[in-house]
Amino acid sequence: MIPTNILVPTDFSPCAERALDYACALAAKLGAKVHVINAIGAVLPELSVALTDQMLSSIRHNNTAALEKLLAGRRAQVAFGEVNVVDDDARDAILKAANAVHADLIVIGTHGRRGLSRMLLGSVAEDVLRRAPCPVLTVRLEGQP
């Protein structure tokens, strides 16, 4: 099956930006639409309970502006669908978005953490890979093991 809807989650890391570039290049060749999501819960999960509405609004506004800046140079290359900043855990937000946009493919960056850092931080990419309703393509930065 050739993907027509590609979902790209971003946390604004270099790894996520590489995944977005890969998804845009793929979408341009296939005539697919790219949907982008950023989950605020991934930014400060341990503080999410303590954040005020004003703080969440500020984070949401800043992340929306950062998304627009990130996509600005890519809009001539590819068609974008939904671009959302959501107040949710990244894992859940990505899976909900995949269903909402009828994603045929999720392209997600992976940091390739191992050992203690992986155990403490978890792996969003791995969880999405296991639970996604569609194929998942993981993208690493060049030079990562």
Side-chain angles (χ1 to χ4, degrees):
M1 174 198 286
I2 296 176
T4 57
N5 286 299
I6 300 172
L7 177 66
V8 183
T10 186
D11 60 1
F12 304 109
S13 68
C15 198
E17 191 166 344
R18 180 159 155 76
L20 179 61
D21 287 339
Y22 194 97
C24 288
L26 184 62
K29 290 179 181 177
L30 300 176
K33 190 176 283 188
V34 176
H35 307 272
V36 182
I37 186 168
N38 169 255
I40 291 175
V43 176
L44 300 168
E46 64 280 352
L47 298 178
S48 62
V49 175
L51 294 177
T52 66
D53 287 340
Q54 185 177 9
M55 293 166 77
L56 279 173
S57 178
S58 177
I59 292 169
R60 194 177 307 111
H61 174 75
N62 291 340
N63 286 18
T64 299
L67 269 179
E68 287 306 316
K69 184 177 177 183
L70 187 65
L71 302 183
R74 295 169 173 91
R75 289 196 185 273
Q77 177 188 1
V78 69
F80 284 95
E82 294 191 29
V83 177
N84 293 314
V85 175
V86 296
D87 304 341
D88 203 352
D89 174 73
R91 294 161 176 83
D92 295 333
I94 294 165
L95 297 172
K96 287 176 192 173
N99 285 315
V101 302
H102 305 287
D104 303 306
L105 177 66
I106 299 171
V107 178
I108 186 169
T110 181
H111 298 282
R113 290 187 182 101
R114 294 194 171 128
L116 186 60
S117 66
R118 183 175 176 279
M119 187 173 75
L120 293 174
L121 298 173
S123 173
V124 172
E126 182 180 353
D127 192 54
V128 169
L129 185 71
R130 292 178 190 274
R131 298 173 40 208
C134 61
V136 177
L137 174 65
T138 59
V139 178
R140 288 187 190 189
L141 285 175
E142 289 182 28
Q144 275 188 324

